[in-house]
């Protein structure tokens, strides 16, 4: 048992992640026993916000040997780290207990503390690890465009590759169902995955493949044989599904995660963990091929779409822990439920500009976007913003971050600045001081919600405008209810 505990001063409210559902919070520490009738334990990071003095995130770093912890309520303002029973030899190390303190949540989002508490990189040659954007076919399956149906087929997958090559998108991710009941080293009837990968490679596009430990048919396969085969085919990475179904308890999940990441590194494969992964703890410093994970309520988890306030909560609270795959970036939103998509159960309450902004705001080494090529091609001017997103940045500034209300993030890669903003269900007017720009003249392209836009009405009304700006100028804009705003800034 872990007896580490702490108390928080004053009367702060807190938020915590909540698996594939909206975050818990805000909860006043004095109201824990009233709102939670049992001896509740909470996921990390637990983020406390005081009314007037501090923002505190409690988390772990370098979780490699023992169970990761949850936080158990012991009294009104006291919490204890709850590490499941774990065993280890004398070389094994417990995780760091981390208390991150700042004036606001934006300071915590900018921090590299968790990352820097991990051991240095364990991979000698990292030249094959390339961050970027990835198309993803799962949420678009069943969509029909001009008589063509996006489904599990050779032709549909080739369309994704062609569009990625056309727009200089680094990757395509093909989800469950592409392999046969013989196992992951055999394509299903009518498909030739090695041929798709060869075709993609000839166009400069990398392919990532979904590996489903809970799939129907033969799932008694040898992981190393699968990874070696996929690497020989030319695949660039995997999305590992349902890891929890093969693990008994948190310690085994921690160890199995490490084994998978190390094995993938041996075969030069990136890793994206699906569904209830081990909480991010800065481990990508040691194993940078661990490029992202779904440690959040992704946008349509369990066929359930989250609300605008969910995004402006989890992008901050969960985002403090590290890279997240939240699957933002739908471009077809009006009439979405009539489009035949089998993996979407509810309408997505967002605007198309908010979707572009969300894909940018949530940091991830692999930015996974969920719509089909024709949806993006139909709004090519807006897609320019997504096409400029990178999986790594030279500079990041969190301009605004108020949990549950709104967030604005600016990032620089080379001589290009990008800014993304998102709001909850309320319309909002925001100002950004462009004092972070260098000397000179810049061309600013803004992607804004249209006059009639709303996450609960016309979701696809948007405007693209340009203007000239200089360092120190103030950029003023409006966001629709559930909407967003995007900015591209290039030196003239």
């Amino acid at each position: 048992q872990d007896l580490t505990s702490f108390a928080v001063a004053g009367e702060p409210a807190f938020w915590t992640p909540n698996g594939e559902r909206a975050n818990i919070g805000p909860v006043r520490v004095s109201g824990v026993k009233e709102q939670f009738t049992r001896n509740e334990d909470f996921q990390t990071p637990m983020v406390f916000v005081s009314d007037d003095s501090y923002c505190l995130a409690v988390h772990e770093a370098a979780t490699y040997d023992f169970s990761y912890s949850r936080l158990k309520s012991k009294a009104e303002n006291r919490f204890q780290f709850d590490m499941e029973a774990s065993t280890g030899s004398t070389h094994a190390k417990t995780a760091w207990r981390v208390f991150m303190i700042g004036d606001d949540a934006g300071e915590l989002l900018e921090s590299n503390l968790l990352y820097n508490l991990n051991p240095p990189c364990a991979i000698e040659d990292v030249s094959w690890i390339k961050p970027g954007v990835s198309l993803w076919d799962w949420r678009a399956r069943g969509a029909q465009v001009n008589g063509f149906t996006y489904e599990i087929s050779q032709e549909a997958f080739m369309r994704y590759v062609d569009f990625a090559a056309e727009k200089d998108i680094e990757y395509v991710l093909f989800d469950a169902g592409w392999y046969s009941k013989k196992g992951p080293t055999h394509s299903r009837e009518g498909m030739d995955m090695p041929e798709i990968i060869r075709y993609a490679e000839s166009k400069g596009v990398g392919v990532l493949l979904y590996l489903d430990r809970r799939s129907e048919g033969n799932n008694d396969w040898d992981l190393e044989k699968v990874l070696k085969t996929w690497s020989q085919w030319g695949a660039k990475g995997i999305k590992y599904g349902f890891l929890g179904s093969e693990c008994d308890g948190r310690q085994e999940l921690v160890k199995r995660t490490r084994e998978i990441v190390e094995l993938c590194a041996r075969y030069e494969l990136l890793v994206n963990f699906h569904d209830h992964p081990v909480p991010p703890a800065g481990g990508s410093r040691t194993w940078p091929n661990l490029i992202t994970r779904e440690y959040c309520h992704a946008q349509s988890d369990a066929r359930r779409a989250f609300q605008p306030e969910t995004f402006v909560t989890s992008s901050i609270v969960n985002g403090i822990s590290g890279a997240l795959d939240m699957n933002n970036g739908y471009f077809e939103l009006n009439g979405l439920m009539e489009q035949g998509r089998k993996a979407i159960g509810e309408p997505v309450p967002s605007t198309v500009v908010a979707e572009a902004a969300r894909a940018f705001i949530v940091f991830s080494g692999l930015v996974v976007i969920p719509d089909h090529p024709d949806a993006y091609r139909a709004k090519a001017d807006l897609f320019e913003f997504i096409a400029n997103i990178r999986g790594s940045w030279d500079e990041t500034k969190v301009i605004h971050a108020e949990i549950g209300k709104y967030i604005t993030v600016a990032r620089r890669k080379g001589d290009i600045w990008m800014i993304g903003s998102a709001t909850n269900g309320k319309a909002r007017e925001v100002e950004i001081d462009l004092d972070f720009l260098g000397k000179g003249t810049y061309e600013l392209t803004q992607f804004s919600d249209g006059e009639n836009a709303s996450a609960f009405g016309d979701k696809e009304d948007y405007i693209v405008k340009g203007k000239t700006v200089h360092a120190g100028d103030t950029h003023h804009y409006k966001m629709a209810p559930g909407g967003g705003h995007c900015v591209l800034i290039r030196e003239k």
Side-chain angles (χ1 to χ4, degrees):
Q1 184 180 14
D2 186 344
L3 300 180
T4 309
S5 67
F6 64 94
V8 291
E11 182 65 18
F14 71 82
W15 291 259
T16 73
N18 192 24
E20 294 184 355
R21 293 186 175 276
N23 297 57
I24 293 171
V27 178
R28 290 285 179 181
V29 292
S30 60
V32 172
K33 296 304 179 184
E34 295 176 7
Q35 295 190 42
F36 303 97
T37 56
R38 57 190 175 87
N39 192 15
E40 189 75 22
D41 62 348
F42 302 97
Q43 291 180 236
T44 58
M46 181 176 254
V47 180
F48 298 86
V49 178
S50 163
D51 290 335
D52 56 3
S53 59
Y54 67 84
C55 181
L56 165 72
V58 182
H59 199 29
E60 293 184 310
T63 310
Y64 287 119
D65 297 310
F66 293 103
S67 157
Y68 63 88
S69 295
R70 293 170 69 95
L71 292 169
K72 185 161 289 188
S73 172
K74 303 302 291 183
E76 283 189 352
N77 69 334
R78 180 167 291 277
F79 300 85
Q80 179 175 317
F81 284 92
D82 178 33
M83 183 180 73
E84 279 187 349
S86 300
T87 59
S89 56
T90 53
H91 77 276
K93 297 178 180 179
T94 57
W96 287 94
R97 303 291 186 249
V98 182
F99 296 82
M100 303 168 66
I101 304 170
D103 290 330
D104 55 48
E107 284 192 35
L108 307 189
L109 274 174
E110 291 178 357
S111 173
N112 292 316
L113 177 59
L114 298 175
Y115 181 86
N116 288 331
L117 286 171
N118 280 258
C121 182
I123 302 174
E124 186 173 348
D125 177 14
V126 297
S127 61
W128 55 273
I129 301 174
K130 300 182 186 303
V133 176
S134 178
L135 300 173
W136 180 42
D137 76 303
W138 178 251
R139 299 290 180 196
R141 290 181 185 175
Q144 298 181 357
V145 181
N146 298 324
F148 179 80
T149 301
Y150 281 93
E151 55 191 350
I152 308 173
S153 69
Q154 195 87 354
E155 184 180 357
F157 283 15
M158 291 295 197
R159 283 196 179 208
Y160 281 94
V161 171
D162 287 340
F163 181 75
E166 173 189 331
K167 297 296 184 180
D168 291 325
I169 301 300
E170 290 83 359
Y171 298 103
V172 290
L173 167 61
F174 298 127
D175 213 281
W178 66 266
Y179 56 81
S180 77
K181 291 186 177 182
K182 293 181 181 179
T185 56
H186 299 80
S187 303
R188 66 184 288 170
E189 186 177 352
M191 292 195 67
D192 186 344
M193 184 55 73
E195 173 57 30
I196 293 172
I197 293 173
R198 285 192 294 270
Y199 179 73
E201 197 163 30
S202 73
K203 288 183 165 270
V205 177
V207 171
L208 302 104
L209 300 174
Y210 188 80
L211 187 60
D212 190 348
R213 180 53 83 178
R214 203 183 64 173
S215 63
E216 296 180 1
N218 177 18
N219 60 6
D220 187 24
W221 30 260
D222 177 76
L223 178 60
E224 183 164 8
K225 179 182 177 182
V226 171
L227 298 180
K228 182 178 181 180
T229 301
W230 288 7
S231 181
Q232 290 171 342
W233 288 355
K236 302 302 181 185
I238 73 169
K239 182 174 181 179
Y240 201 104
F242 300 102
L243 174 60
S245 65
E246 60 180 292
C247 297
D248 182 15
R250 292 186 220 155
Q251 185 184 27
E252 186 176 347
L253 188 60
V254 167
K255 290 187 172 183
R256 186 60 177 155
T257 296
R258 185 173 182 174
E259 290 170 0
I260 292 168
V261 172
E262 291 184 17
L263 198 55
C264 284
R266 185 182 307 169
Y267 293 102
E268 298 191 354
L269 295 168
L270 306 176
V271 190
N272 176 3
F273 282 105
H274 174 225
D275 68 353
H276 303 290
V278 172
S284 59
R285 182 187 186 206
T286 311
W287 299 99
N289 64 315
L290 176 51
I291 201 151
T292 193
R293 69 190 93 191
E294 287 187 19
Y295 187 65
C296 56
H297 178 5
Q299 186 141 284
S300 293
D301 272 335
R303 293 170 53 81
R304 178 183 57 250
F306 64 49
Q307 298 299 312
E309 56 267 25
T310 309
F311 176 80
V312 291
T313 299
S314 57
S315 60
I316 301 171
V317 173
N318 303 51
I320 288 170
S321 67
L324 302 175
D325 176 8
M326 204 179 287
N327 319 153
N328 307 114
Y330 288 101
F331 267 31
E332 279 190 348
L333 292 166
N334 292 335
L336 184 67
M337 303 314 296
E338 290 76 49
Q339 293 169 12
R341 304 190 189 205
K342 303 178 182 66
I344 300 177
E346 296 180 5
V348 175
S350 184
T351 69
V352 68
V353 174
E355 287 300 290
R358 291 175 181 183
F360 165 78
I361 289 167
V362 177
F363 172 73
S364 180
L366 186 71
V367 181
V368 180
I369 54 176
D371 226 323
H372 58 78
D374 288 288
Y376 294 129
R377 194 175 281 114
K379 298 179 177 66
D381 52 355
L382 179 58
F383 190 78
E384 180 190 4
F385 182 82
I386 286 183
N388 276 279
I389 296 175
R390 299 293 178 259
S392 65
W393 302 91
D394 299 326
E395 194 172 353
T396 294
K397 295 180 179 295
V398 180
I399 298 173
H400 307 294
E402 191 165 353
I403 299 173
K405 294 184 179 180
Y406 73 118
I407 180 171
T408 301
V409 176
R411 295 190 176 102
R412 179 183 63 83
K413 188 72 170 183
D415 58 358
I416 295 178
W417 277 95
M418 300 181 69
I419 305 173
S421 295
T423 182
N424 57 13
K426 296 182 179 180
R428 199 173 300 273
E429 295 190 24
V430 179
E431 285 189 352
I432 300 174
D433 292 329
L434 302 178
D435 52 4
F436 50 82
L437 296 178
K439 294 181 180 179
T441 302
Y442 296 82
E443 181 64 30
L444 181 151
T445 305
Q446 60 179 338
F447 308 84
S448 308
D449 292 322
E451 288 295 323
N452 300 314
S454 170
F456 315 101
D458 186 350
K459 304 174 183 180
E460 297 182 24
D461 183 20
Y462 71 97
I463 301 168
V464 181
K465 290 183 178 179
K467 65 179 181 179
T468 299
V469 296
H470 303 84
D473 288 351
T474 298
H475 179 58
H476 179 88
Y477 59 92
K478 298 179 181 180
M479 292 185 284
H485 186 73
C486 303
V487 174
L488 263 174
I489 305 177
R490 301 181 177 93
E491 192 167 2
K492 294 185 74 172

